[in-house]
Each structure stands twice: as structure tokens, then as C-alpha cells.
Amino acid sequence: MKRAQSIKSNLSRFSQMQQSPLILKPQNFATPLVRRFIQKLKKNRDFKPNNEQLELLNDKSVVIDPKNETPNFPMNYLEITSKIISKLGVLHPYDNIKILLDILHFLLIIFYIYWMPFEICFNVKLNDGVYGMMLMFFACDILLNFNTVTFSSTFLCNFFLRHIFTMASS
Amino acid sequence: MKKRSKIFRNYINGSMLPDLLTTLIIGISIESKSSDDFAQFIKLIFLLRMKTLKCIYWRILEKFRIRSKVQEYFIDLANLLFISLWILHLFACFWFFVGVHSDPENNWIVANGLNESSTSIKYLTSLYWSAVTIM
């Protein structure tokens, strides 16, 4: 009896969802494996399923645009940028490119540390182009720092302890 | 730490503020006029970058794996030269600044007849004074 009731309630829920114009989530209908398969299908570049095929797979996650008859995926700029950033990957601090940028950064800081007191006391000013270049470099450096791997203190402690013990044992 | 959220948190808690401030200082330097004293002194905040300089210095040394004693001596010598020259330069600038901002008719610049000289001669004279006084 209970099972029959639950099937009835599920069916009524299903019919309500089909009637509603809202975006329906696939987890309401498909098992996790099917859901994963549908998501992989959507990402596939070579073969893109049309609405009928998606419906056949029991996927209701798309709102069908009657004019184009193509799935209207909810993609906004934030999603696109997050996808691009996730594809970029993180930089290692000892990577050759990072070290090259670090050397440039080092030279720029030394230059400005020497130039700054001279500028303050002698009232001389550098060319605006040089300042603009430095500003660009430092701003890019901040953005790059968000994308650079850092070592946690526990990792460093473990690393040095292991290093010391291996040295002591040898 | 490879997770972006952890890197983000770590950077915000660590050196993000000094980095942002010093970048702002460069922006102010573009806009400021040379006569504006406050804008000139705000530039001293750039010295916060010294911490970053130290980090980068150690990272570069780690990358090039300097192990031998001779290399270490050369690096120590370079460090010593850099720091002593920087201190000399700081004192030279400060000495000139004191001269400019003291009595306009009775200061060391006027007394030495450097009032009409070029900036390079003024700088070299004050550098000479600081070198002789400190060394």
C-alpha cells in the first residue's frame, strides 16, 4: 500500500514538474550515472544531442526555446570566466616563467627603492610611461599571486624535518 | 597549497595589503605634482615592498641552488654593497632635504654656492658628505 502511494505521489510530482515552466534539475529524474552521462554528452563537441534525444534520455534540465529548438543553457559571464580560470591552472613558485618575472620584479623594486628618496628630496619626476609600466607590472603581479602555489607551514616543517633526518642518517 | 580558495585566503592574510598599497603608491606618483609634499611623503609606503623583496631574493637563491662557499661570499659581498650604498643614498637625500627646508638664506647649499648648480652636482655633493660622515 505504502509503495503504491509513493509511486502515486511521485507520478503527480512528475506531472507537476512537466507542466511548470521553471528550469528542472536532472537529479529529480535521473540516477547519478545517467546524470553524469547526460552532462558528458552536453559537453561533447562532436555530437550534440537535440531536444528529442535529451527528452528520450529523460533529461528535463533544459528549457526548450521554441524558435531555435536548441537547449538554452544558463551560461553567464561569471560561469565563463570561472571556466577559463579553472582551465588556466596554477603556477609553481619555482617555475622558470615565475622566476623570470620574479627577477624583473626584484629589479623594479630595487630601482624604485633607490629612485624614491631621490624623487622626494630633489623634486624630480620620472617619465609617466615608466610609472605606467610599473603600475601595470605590479597589478599583474597581484593577479598572478592569486594563481601561484604557496607552501603551507606544516608542509615546510615536514619537508625540513625529513631533510634533516635523511642527512643525519647518511 | 594548490587549491585556489586556500591560495586566495593565504594571500589575503599575508602580503596582499602591502602589495595593493604599494601599487596604489605608483598610481599616486603618476597623478601627483612634484610640489605636493604630502603626496611625496606618502611614497615612503613603498618601503613595505622590502618584505616582498626579501621573499623574492630567497626564492631566486633557492632556484639557482647556491651551495659553494665562494658563491655565498660573493652574494654576501653584493648584499653588503647594496645595503651600504642604499643607506649612503638615503642619507645623501636626507641631507639635501634638510638643506632645502631650513633657512633659505643660510643653509649648506647656499653656503657652498650650489644654489644654481644642476641636480647631479647637488646630489654628488650630498653623497660625498654622507660617505665621508658615515664611512
Side-chain angles (χ1 to χ4, degrees):
Chain A
M1 272 297 280
K2 275 186 181 177
R3 203 174 169 190
Q5 275 180 348
S6 71
I7 290 168
K8 263 187 183 178
S9 65
N10 277 343
L11 274 172
S12 62
R13 238 168 59 195
F14 182 77
S15 60
Q16 275 173 7
M17 280 171 166
Q18 273 192 324
Q19 283 163 8
S20 65
L22 294 167
I23 300 169
L24 304 174
K25 291 175 183 175
Q27 58 261 34
N28 295 330
F29 306 97
T31 56
L33 260 176
V34 176
R35 209 185 309 149
R36 218 184 300 163
F37 172 68
I38 291 165
Q39 277 164 1
K40 277 200 174 178
L41 257 183
K42 280 175 188 173
K43 282 175 189 172
N44 199 346
R45 283 181 187 175
D46 305 322
F47 171 72
K48 281 201 173 176
N50 58 26
N51 293 331
E52 284 174 12
Q53 286 162 337
L54 281 170
E55 268 188 89
L56 196 71
L57 285 166
N58 207 6
D59 176 60
K60 305 284 176 188
S61 66
V62 290
V63 173
I64 298 158
D65 189 0
K67 283 177 190 171
N68 299 327
E69 288 198 353
T70 48
N72 180 21
F73 295 111
M75 286 274 274
N76 54 20
Y77 289 112
L78 204 71
E79 270 183 59
I80 293 164
T81 41
S82 68
K83 271 189 177 178
I84 291 167
I85 288 168
S86 63
K87 275 184 183 175
L88 274 175
V90 282
L91 259 177
H92 193 275
Y94 294 101
D95 207 18
N96 283 343
I97 300 164
K98 180 70 182 156
I99 289 290
L100 197 76
L101 287 170
D102 275 348
I103 292 169
L104 202 66
H105 194 175
F106 186 78
L107 292 175
L108 269 179
I109 292 174
I110 285 181
F111 164 73
Y112 198 67
I113 275 175
Y114 266 93
W115 180 258
M116 184 192 50
F118 188 72
E119 189 182 326
I120 293 170
C121 301
F122 287 84
N123 271 335
V124 227
K125 220 185 161 194
L126 263 179
N127 188 13
D128 277 355
V130 181
Y131 279 126
M133 197 195 73
M134 281 169 74
L135 185 70
M136 282 284 286
F137 185 84
F138 288 136
C140 288
D141 183 66
I142 290 174
L143 291 178
L144 207 71
N145 275 330
F146 282 120
N147 217 32
T148 309
V149 176
T150 49
F151 298 112
S152 64
S153 52
T154 48
F155 168 79
L156 284 175
C157 284
N158 291 339
F159 176 79
F160 282 111
L161 277 174
R162 208 182 306 143
H163 195 66
I164 287 162
F165 281 122
T166 47
M167 273 178 77
S169 60
S170 64
Chain B
M1 281 185 269
K2 280 187 177 179
K3 266 194 170 181
R4 275 210 172 76
S5 55
K6 279 187 179 176
I7 295 170
F8 188 80
R9 217 177 302 146
N10 190 50
Y11 185 50
I12 282 180
N13 291 334
S15 59
M16 192 199 169
L17 193 70
D19 281 4
L20 258 180
L21 274 176
T22 47
T23 311
L24 272 176
I25 293 306
I26 304 287
I28 289 169
S29 301
I30 298 172
E31 291 298 316
S32 71
K33 289 170 188 169
S34 54
S35 56
D36 191 359
D37 267 352
F38 179 69
Q40 294 286 339
F41 275 100
I42 250 184
K43 286 174 193 168
L44 284 174
I45 295 174
F46 192 83
L47 292 178
L48 287 172
R49 277 259 168 174
M50 291 293 266
K51 198 186 164 192
T52 318
L53 192 76
K54 205 176 162 187
C55 291
I56 294 171
Y57 171 76
W58 284 113
R59 209 181 297 150
I60 292 168
L61 284 193
E62 278 280 309
K63 174 73 183 175
F64 293 111
R65 294 182 182 192
I66 290 152
R67 294 274 186 270
S68 74
K69 285 272 176 196
V70 181
Q71 284 172 328
E72 272 182 22
Y73 290 145
F74 269 108
I75 286 163
D76 285 346
L77 189 71
N79 271 343
L80 186 74
L81 262 175
F82 167 73
I83 292 167
S84 48
L85 276 175
W86 189 60
I87 289 169
L88 269 183
H89 172 73
L90 269 184
F91 272 89
C93 292
F94 181 69
W95 178 236
F96 185 80
F97 185 79
V98 168
V100 168
H101 285 83
S102 53
D103 185 11
E105 285 176 11
N106 187 22
N107 56 42
W108 72 267
I109 301 166
V110 178
N112 286 306
L114 294 168
N115 216 7
E116 299 294 318
S117 319
S118 63
T119 316
S120 55
I121 290 172
K122 284 175 189 168
Y123 174 68
L124 282 175
T125 316
S126 44
L127 192 71
Y128 174 75
W129 173 84
S130 65
V132 168
T133 317
I134 293 169
M135 296 290 174

